[in-house]
Amino acid sequence: MPVVIGVLLSVLYGQFLSSGAVPVALLAESGVQSSLIHVQDAAQRSGKLDAVVVGSSLTARMHESFLSESGFELATVGLDGQGPTTGLDVVVATDIDVPVVLIEANFLERVRGDNASTLLDAIDGPIGQLNSVFPALRAESRPSSILYSQLKTRRDGGLGTSDPDVAPQVAATCLRFDSAHTTVLAPELDPVLSEQLQDLQGEGRSVVFYFLPDNGRMTDDQQAVAEAYAARFDIPILDLRSAELELTYTDGLHLNVASARSVAHVLARSALPVESLCS
Amino acid sequence: MLFTSAGFALLAALTFTGFYLVGWTRVVPSGLAQRAQSALLLFASLVFYSFGDPRLSILLVAMVATNALLASRLIRAETTEAQRRTIVRAGVTINLLALGFFKYALLVAELLLPARFEESASSIPLPIGISFYTFQGISLIVDAGRRNDDLASALGQARDKGVLNYFVAVALYISFFPQLIAGPIVKASSFLPQIGLHRIRDIRWETVVKSLVYGYFLKLVVADNLNEHTAALTQGEFGGLTKTDLLLLIFGYSCQIFADFAGYSLIAIGLGALFGYDLPVNFNRPYISRSITEFWRRWHISLSSFLREYLYIPLGGNRRGVGRTYLNLMIVMTLGGLWHGGDLNFAVWGFAHGSLLAVERALLGPNPTQVGSALVDGVRSLVVFVVVSLLWLFFVTPDFSGSWQFFETLVQARIGLNPFGGGLPRQTVYGLLLFSVPVIGYHLWAFGFERSRASSVAPQPIGRTSVLRYAELGFLGLLVFLVSTNSGVSGDFIYFQF
């Protein structure tokens, strides 16, 4: 009987979620669950996406719904505590069908994280299949995450605007570096990330880097690493740090929800369609 | 194989179906059906144990065979008292040698042998569950040596049905999969008499459902979620944390280790009941204990009972004077600590508990669990909880220096009363507070199969009236809902490493 009651509650809960009566979680109280929210969504919408955004916890703040308010279909694979190599692992391993891959370049020097297998386990196999069928079982539906998301959003000043044209004149600066570009620091390129970029381009996908606003935390070393990859693989960089937006940080590094929403609008609008990028 | 894996669900479902199909059909004679059930459970246990690394089962099978052979000698009528003593000594020694070799070789090499032996010792694998099944082997040998009536009768009956039947019975006792890896530690005299023909109509569904629901809830929703938030303790990252942060972390770990281990034990009890076997209750709301003595009567009860019966009492217990009693307490608890692993941390943890037991006995007498006023009891429970929680530190930090660093930081850090204003991320504080709530609740509400806190009023099982019964069903349903929607990332049970 308790199992029946539990299943009925889950079905009812799923209905509330589907109808919007219960909002899904934009944030989670756990880094892994936050990452799962994004990864499950990306896997779920594979094939229907215009672009996927891959990065660290900075990117994780840009919820997929914010990016898609631009009119394009975008997914976020922003992973708490991880660099983009783990996110790219997820994109490749789950065979997410997407023509454009936007990669956060603030922390490209970060070593690979260790929770890619956890994330992949969560979307592969029978449990992953259940997640895709029953919305109530997804990470974004966890009651504890929804409560956290609501409390955190309220505390940080609300959701911001859903209108991507509130600041239409704001755009990211586009940077390009040719293969002759060198930096004084001349960083070594990580072979794993290099191979991932090579594979993505070899599959005919467009790759774009972006610098997210980080409250001036990015060091010259980190900038040099990003430029070196951009030069080596002929990848344009969208610099959102220069966009004239009023931004608020929750902890000196991460954007609050409203600011992340504004930045998401600028990023999506600047990057897509990719054919007109940097024009 | 984890209780939380899809593979285990399949194994349990297949075993359950086969087990009761054999017991249900009238074509198979009952004697044969009982033997088939035992053989099926034994087979499932071996699959469960060797899944992923079949080599592990070699030692298990060897230990089963050794203990079965020795026990068969012990229950023979013609075995003399002197022979029995010799066999018991040999049996206990073999079990302890196996445990010692696989668990403490590295410690011995580090402390006593030249450096070149350390590398060899570090390559010795630790067979999962060895601490538990060797203790069950010791229980079998010692009780058989003592001519325990229930055990002798059960072993004798099994032997009368043939050698194979006897070995299957002993093997099932030592390797019964619900409690093979992390207990509860079961005494042979309570398990073996339960081997018989089990029919589906005899299943105590209330015990099965409650134990499984509470167990999976504690493990998946509480322990697995807390696991991510207490990671700072294992990583030794205490810089910038306030006293409140540090206490919050260690109290969170206290709740986590309880939820993890009590959750495992409840799942084991539920699975045992599903196959018609009673396994002993292993936890009885330990964090409301008003003394360390009471704590050890409520925490890992099967280990405490084992240590008392097979170590403390043989050492003389409290029969050889006050000083020797204190010494015995410290010896038993230090060895109990080392049972968890061959690290200095575990020895210190056990010694600290033993010392506290001795001090408590000196100050409060042999029975420090008498009920006082609510206020006094509340303060005492809080003090015990804080002390026990601080001692868990030796479990969670990777080494002794990590524990020491925590205590140093705790002394030096500023107080920082607001947990959301300290050095821990808000996510962590939120997670620690939220997922500790069920453990606190668990200690405040009586469960149907548990005895309530010692008091002059006899405990009443909940769910007696129809209203309470429906409320309880609804509550269990809510827990099932939370298990399905709010589980953390599933990890190993903490006690698997022991």
Side-chain angles (χ1 to χ4, degrees), chain B residues 12 37 97 99 144 177 180 188 229 242 277 311 344 410 463 467 496:
Chain B
Q37 282 187 331
L97 277 177
L99 181 63
F177 72 86
L180 169 61
H229 299 297
T242 65
Y277 287 86
L311 189 57
L344 179 61
L410 185 62
V467 174
F496 275 21

Side-chain angles (χ1 to χ4, degrees), chain B residues 212-223 259 267 438-439 478-480 482-483:
Chain B
L212 291 180
V213 172
Y214 287 130
Y216 276 109
F217 174 80
L218 284 172
K219 169 61 183 164
L220 294 173
V221 179
V222 180
I267 296 169
V439 174
L478 180 67
L479 296 189
V480 172
L482 288 172
V483 166

Side-chain angles (χ1 to χ4, degrees), chain A residues 28-31 142-144 155, chain B residues 228-229 426-427 430 486-487:
Chain A
E29 80 283 5
S30 132
R142 285 162 48 93
S144 61
R155 184 184 179 279
Chain B
E228 193 179 338
H229 299 297
R426 285 172 181 277
Q427 284 176 306
Y430 171 88
N486 217 111
S487 291

Side-chain angles (χ1 to χ4, degrees), chain B residues 437-476:
Chain B
V437 166
V439 174
I440 296 164
Y442 184 92
H443 284 80
L444 297 179
W445 290 86
F447 292 151
F449 58 89
E450 277 191 283
R451 293 191 60 206
S452 68
R453 183 174 179 167
S455 72
S456 55
V457 181
Q460 297 290 314
I462 63 170
R464 283 198 139 182
T465 67
S466 57
V467 174
L468 282 178
R469 184 159 186 78
Y470 284 123
E472 190 182 22
L473 281 175
F475 180 65
L476 287 167

Side-chain angles (χ1 to χ4, degrees), chain B residues 62-289:
Chain B
M63 294 307 293
V64 165
T66 306
N67 285 308
L69 277 171
L70 294 174
S72 74
R73 292 292 303 270
L74 285 168
I75 58 168
R76 277 187 194 167
E78 60 269 26
T79 305
T80 64
E81 187 62 34
Q83 286 173 324
R84 269 212 307 277
R85 275 201 294 272
T86 306
I87 294 170
V88 168
R89 282 194 196 113
V92 172
T93 305
I94 289 169
N95 279 289
L96 290 179
L97 277 177
L99 181 63
F101 177 77
F102 286 99
K103 203 156 187 173
Y104 307 112
L106 183 58
L107 179 70
V108 171
E110 281 175 352
L111 294 178
L112 303 175
L113 300 177
R116 65 177 185 278
F117 289 102
E118 278 185 40
E119 196 176 336
S120 310
S122 65
S123 66
I124 297 172
L126 177 62
I128 193 166
I130 189 170
S131 307
F132 291 88
Y133 66 70
T134 49
F135 268 28
Q136 294 206 171
I138 290 171
S139 164
L140 173 73
I141 296 298
V142 173
D143 284 356
R146 288 174 181 168
R147 293 274 168 119
N148 177 295
D149 289 344
D150 291 341
L151 178 60
S153 163
L155 285 173
Q157 283 177 19
R159 192 188 51 190
D160 293 345
K161 292 176 187 169
V163 174
L164 183 62
N165 192 65
Y166 169 80
F167 272 94
V168 168
V170 173
L172 185 58
Y173 158 63
I174 292 179
S175 63
F176 185 44
F177 72 86
Q179 46 79 239
L180 169 61
I181 290 176
I185 299 166
V186 186
K187 291 181 68 177
S189 55
S190 73
F191 185 90
L192 285 166
Q194 296 185 59
I195 295 178
L197 182 61
H198 296 278
R199 298 197 187 275
I200 200 162
R201 62 171 179 265
D202 299 327
I203 296 176
R204 290 171 297 106
W205 284 107
E206 192 171 348
T207 303
V208 172
V209 172
K210 277 186 185 177
S211 303
L212 291 180
V213 172
Y214 287 130
Y216 276 109
F217 174 80
L218 284 172
K219 169 61 183 164
L220 294 173
V221 179
V222 180
D224 283 348
N225 276 308
L226 280 172
N227 185 43
E228 193 179 338
H229 299 297
T230 57
L233 290 172
T234 50
Q235 292 157 359
E237 295 169 355
F238 308 130
L241 300 186
T242 65
K243 282 186 170 63
T244 304
D245 291 336
L246 293 165
L247 290 176
L248 199 58
L249 277 172
I250 199 64
F251 292 157
Y253 183 74
S254 236
C255 292
Q256 180 193 340
I257 193 171
F258 168 77
D260 195 278
F261 195 17
Y264 178 93
S265 296
L266 283 168
I267 296 169
I269 289 167
L271 289 169
L274 194 65
F275 293 99
Y277 287 86
D278 279 333
L279 299 180
V281 170
N282 218 14
F283 290 87
N284 183 15
R285 289 175 292 147
Y287 291 149
I288 58 169
S289 303

Side-chain angles (χ1 to χ4, degrees), chain A residues 56-93:
Chain A
S56 68
S57 56
L58 298 187
T59 293
R61 297 295 186 272
M62 295 190 295
H63 193 261
E64 30 281 339
S65 63
F66 300 163
L67 288 157
S68 297
E69 283 164 354
S70 63
F72 296 99
E73 286 293 319
L74 288 99
T76 305
V77 183
L79 309 178
D80 279 17
Q82 309 291 317
T85 46
T86 313
L88 290 174
D89 259 357
V90 172
V91 170
V92 171

Side-chain angles (χ1 to χ4, degrees), chain A residues 1-3 5-7 9-10 13 28-33 36 80 118 126 136-137 142-144 147-148 151-152 155, chain B residues 6 209 213 225 228-229 426-428 430-431 434-435 470 473-474 476-478 480-482 484-489:
Chain A
M1 182 61 85
V3 176
I5 294 171
V7 171
L9 282 174
S10 300
Y13 184 61
E29 80 283 5
S30 132
V32 176
Q33 297 299 337
L36 276 174
D80 279 17
T118 304
L137 304 183
R142 285 162 48 93
S144 61
L147 178 63
Y148 175 78
L151 292 171
K152 175 86 174 150
R155 184 184 179 279
Chain B
V209 172
V213 172
N225 276 308
E228 193 179 338
H229 299 297
R426 285 172 181 277
Q427 284 176 306
T428 302
Y430 171 88
L434 182 71
F435 293 111
Y470 284 123
L473 281 175
L476 287 167
L478 180 67
V480 172
F481 164 74
L482 288 172
S484 64
T485 58
N486 217 111
S487 291
V489 175

